[in-house]
Amino acid sequence: MKFTEIYQELVNSTEVIRALAANVSQEEAQSKPTPETWSMLEVVCHLYDEEREDFRDHLDFVLHRQDKETWKAIDPQGWVTSRKYNEQNFVEMQTKFLEERKKSLDWLIDLAHADWDVTCKTPFRIISAGDILTSWAAHDNLHIRQLVELKRYQIENISRPYKIAYAGDW
C-alpha cells in the first residue's frame, strides 16, 4: 500500500465533498429523488458519523487498542432515521464533517509508518489496518458519486422547463 497516495486521496476527496456541498440551500440539501434515496444532508451526516465512529475509531482500535477493548458495533443505515439526519442543519453538518476530517488527517499523518498488516477479528471478518485505511478512501468515493448524482438531480430541477439532454447520457 502506498500510504502517501491514500492519504492524499483523503485530502482530495475532502475538497471534492466541500465543493459539492457548497452553496446548497437547506431545502436543496433535504430533497431526494425518491423516498428510498438519501439527500445531500443525509450523506453529509453519514460522512460525519462515519468519520468519528467508524473509520478513525476502528483504525485506531486495530492499531492501538484491540488488546484492551472490543470492536465497537455501529449502525450507519439505522442512524439515518434514528439520528434524524434529514432534519439537521446542512451548514452545521458540513462544518462538523470538515472539522472531524481535519482531526482525522492530522492524526493519520503521524501513522505513515504504521504496521498496516496488523489484523483484528471483528464480528464480520478478519480485517487489517490497511484494509480499513484503503476502505476509508474508497468510502469517500462512493459518497462523492452519490453527491454528484444529487447535484445532477438539482440541476434538472432548477433548469425546468429546459431539458439537460444535450449534456449527454447519464
Side-chain angles (χ1 to χ4, degrees):
M1 176 185 67
K2 298 178 181 176
F3 173 82
T4 304
E5 291 175 23
I6 297 294
Y7 180 86
Q8 190 59 52
E9 283 295 320
L10 287 165
V11 170
N12 294 346
S13 63
T14 303
E15 293 311 309
V16 172
I17 293 164
R18 182 191 317 267
L20 288 168
N23 302 314
V24 173
S25 71
Q26 180 72 22
E27 182 182 347
E28 289 170 324
Q30 291 172 305
S31 68
K32 303 177 179 199
T34 68
E36 299 79 34
T37 59
W38 285 7
S39 67
M40 289 186 93
L41 177 54
E42 289 168 327
V43 173
V44 170
C45 290
H46 169 77
L47 287 167
Y48 169 67
D49 284 344
E50 286 288 296
E51 197 71 21
R52 298 174 312 125
E53 298 180 59
D54 187 359
F55 290 102
R56 188 174 66 218
D57 187 61
H58 283 135
L59 180 57
D60 184 51
F61 174 83
V62 172
L63 290 172
H64 306 116
R65 305 186 333 249
Q66 64 176 301
D67 293 338
K68 303 173 210 114
E69 300 174 24
T70 57
W71 181 268
K72 184 174 111 184
I74 58 172
D75 183 18
Q77 293 288 33
W79 292 341
V80 177
T81 53
S82 69
R83 295 180 179 183
K84 301 179 180 178
Y85 281 175
N86 217 34
E87 297 175 25
Q88 305 305 312
N89 179 285
F90 187 57
V91 172
E92 183 180 312
M93 293 312 300
Q94 287 176 70
T95 300
K96 285 182 170 187
F97 164 70
L98 293 168
E99 287 171 353
E100 287 300 323
R101 177 53 63 93
K102 182 178 180 340
K103 287 181 193 175
S104 296
L105 293 171
D106 291 347
W107 176 74
L108 279 169
I109 200 69
D110 293 330
L111 296 177
H113 302 292
D115 180 1
W116 299 109
D117 294 325
V118 67
T119 62
C120 171
K121 185 174 179 358
T122 75
F124 312 105
R125 68 179 72 78
I126 294 176
I127 193 166
S128 72
D131 293 336
I132 294 174
L133 180 64
T134 56
S135 294
W136 196 347
H139 181 261
D140 274 5
N141 286 348
L142 289 172
H143 293 294
I144 287 169
R145 179 179 67 191
Q146 192 176 19
L147 290 169
V148 167
E149 290 171 353
L150 287 162
K151 285 298 266 190
R152 182 166 175 103
Y153 168 71
Q154 288 175 351
I155 291 169
E156 285 180 295
N157 285 336
I158 64 173
S159 300
R160 289 190 183 113
Y162 304 103
K163 296 180 173 81
I164 62 172
Y166 186 70
D169 290 336
W170 186 245

